[in-house]
Amino acid sequence: MPKKQPVYNNESISSLKGAERVRKRPGVIFGSDGIEGCEHAVFEILSNAIDEAREGYGDRVSVTLFKDGSIEVEDFGRGIPVDYNKKEERYNWELLFCEMYAGGKYDAAASNYEYSLGLNGLGLCATQYASRWMKADVYRDGAHYHLDFERGENVGGLQKEPTKSKRTGTVIRWLPDREVFTDIDIPVDYFKDVMKRQAVGNAGALFPLHDQSTPGGETTEFCYENGIADYVAELAGEEGLTPVVSRSSEAECRDRDDRPEYKVKMSAAFCFSNKRQVLEYYHNSSWLEHGGSPERAVKTAFVSQIDAYLKNKGLYKKGESKITFADVQDCLIYVSSSFSTVTSYENQTKKAITNRGIAQVMTEFLKHTLEVYFIENPDEAQKLCSQVLVNKQSRE
């Protein structure tokens, strides 16, 4: 007997509303409905706290892990605005916690965050929607505000009371929902890794991790006073082929001739080593696992300048092919940190950026840095360029 075909008509079309937009399709927002997506939800809350610290509001971002699996992120910034918004004719807590694409980072001219990690107005709301429960405590304007949510719905409205405390900031604690994610047991090593990387990308800021999920617990603090320069020195240890070089610059660029200019801040720290090879890229303090624009810049600049040096010194054999970046990478420890007022991320998970303008200005910045470095340090230039050539010849 023929199988009855399902009806597909005008009434078959529906739309997800409210919390369902995240709870039924978490992979669209977080990149996965598994442990990776749950980890990214944590990073969304953490990134908002980091933006405050980077703008000079507080110098500490604290994360606490609890026995029940809940996570708490505390910052000491200005405290997110949650009271009534006359312009929008709604409470800000409704916009921030319950409305997709709402936030204070859209108007570049009036933005409180010139170089922001979170830009899409999705993270806080999406993580709240994906939680079994969430509690928020906000301290600002001489008041303590409290909010409770359960499975994406507010419970009890906004609670407000005056406080004599002078502290400001935001504390958000939540339990990821097993009905949303297939796995919520985020390993402690993930938190240690992400906190360390944020310390690298935010020089001088303190990132304490309080692990209360196991008996006894422990607190681990991460801080790099000089950011990426200290980190490269740590990676190289005492056996670096050359000392650590650290340089910074600023520029303006555009991704297309008809697009407006935007500002870019760039820092790079590197050294050469026969013991270790590392390439890491950070943008607006987010670790770019897949690189993108900064990766293209370092490949182009290092190959160009080292190749030019080898040619000028006559170190290539007759008819020998030029070096490739693989030859450079074999002995390079390189970490870059960039910030821009306009950022094109490859996707919501922020693991790569695609800005053409950033790739161009970073390439020129690195070429100039290497050119000056080779002139000022001829012995080191000879040593590292010769090592790159040896790498190439060994590979061939």
Side-chain angles (χ1 to χ4, degrees), residues 277-291:
Q277 303 81 43
V278 178
L279 297 174
E280 289 186 11
Y281 316 99
Y282 296 83
H283 187 75
N284 287 359
S285 84
S286 179
W287 174 45
L288 302 179
E289 184 178 354
H290 304 311

Side-chain angles (χ1 to χ4, degrees), residues 37 150 223 247 272 293 385:
E150 291 186 8
C223 182
R247 299 288 186 272
F272 287 79
S293 300
C385 290

Side-chain angles (χ1 to χ4, degrees), residues 121-164:
L122 292 171
L124 177 57
C125 176
T127 301
Q128 190 278 110
Y129 279 161
S131 302
R132 172 61 184 84
W133 53 261
M134 177 180 279
K135 300 177 184 295
D137 289 279
V138 178
Y139 301 87
R140 61 173 291 141
D141 305 325
H144 170 210
Y145 300 87
H146 180 79
L147 289 159
D148 286 293
F149 301 89
E150 291 186 8
R151 290 194 170 97
E153 300 295 331
N154 175 250
V155 179
L158 178 66
Q159 301 172 37
K160 178 181 178 181
E161 61 181 10
T163 177
K164 293 182 179 179

Side-chain angles (χ1 to χ4, degrees), residues 114-115 247-253 262-267 337-339 341 361-362 364-365:
E114 187 171 32
Y115 300 103
R247 299 288 186 272
S248 298
S249 185
E250 297 185 16
E252 292 188 351
C253 63
Y262 58 89
K263 293 189 288 185
V264 181
K265 293 169 63 176
M266 303 164 285
S267 297
S337 178
S338 55
F339 297 87
T341 52
V361 295
M362 286 195 73
E364 293 307 311
F365 158 62

Side-chain angles (χ1 to χ4, degrees), residues 84-269:
Y84 193 71
N85 186 327
K86 293 181 180 179
K87 183 180 70 174
E88 295 288 340
E89 297 183 341
R90 292 178 67 184
Y91 278 89
N92 278 320
W93 72 261
E94 294 180 278
L95 296 170
L96 295 172
F97 286 88
C98 305
E99 190 71 54
M100 306 286 275
Y101 298 102
K105 304 173 184 178
Y106 288 116
D107 186 352
S111 177
N112 284 291
Y113 303 94
E114 187 171 32
Y115 300 103
S116 174
L117 176 52
L119 288 172
N120 298 326
L122 292 171
L124 177 57
C125 176
T127 301
Q128 190 278 110
Y129 279 161
S131 302
R132 172 61 184 84
W133 53 261
M134 177 180 279
K135 300 177 184 295
D137 289 279
V138 178
Y139 301 87
R140 61 173 291 141
D141 305 325
H144 170 210
Y145 300 87
H146 180 79
L147 289 159
D148 286 293
F149 301 89
E150 291 186 8
R151 290 194 170 97
E153 300 295 331
N154 175 250
V155 179
L158 178 66
Q159 301 172 37
K160 178 181 178 181
E161 61 181 10
T163 177
K164 293 182 179 179
S165 173
K166 294 183 178 180
R167 73 152 296 180
T168 59
T170 303
V171 184
I172 295 179
R173 180 175 174 180
W174 77 102
L175 178 67
D177 200 338
R178 290 188 182 276
E179 293 182 3
V180 177
F181 299 108
T182 59
D183 188 355
I184 65 169
D185 297 322
I186 301 174
V188 175
D189 285 347
Y190 166 79
F191 291 96
K192 289 182 177 180
D193 181 69
V194 76
M195 298 284 276
K196 179 177 181 177
R197 291 187 184 281
Q198 291 311 309
V200 169
N202 294 277
L206 179 65
F207 290 85
L209 173 63
H210 309 289
D211 181 10
Q212 298 181 14
S213 63
T214 56
E218 66 174 11
T219 294
T220 309
E221 294 186 344
F222 302 93
C223 182
Y224 287 86
E225 193 62 37
N226 299 300
I228 60 174
D230 287 351
Y231 181 47
V232 169
E234 176 184 281
L235 292 171
E238 300 295 325
E239 299 180 350
L241 191 63
T242 62
V244 176
V245 178
S246 179
R247 299 288 186 272
S248 298
S249 185
E250 297 185 16
E252 292 188 351
C253 63
R254 49 168 52 97
D255 295 326
R256 211 170 60 197
D257 291 342
D258 61 338
R259 300 297 294 270
E261 284 191 334
Y262 58 89
K263 293 189 288 185
V264 181
K265 293 169 63 176
M266 303 164 285
S267 297

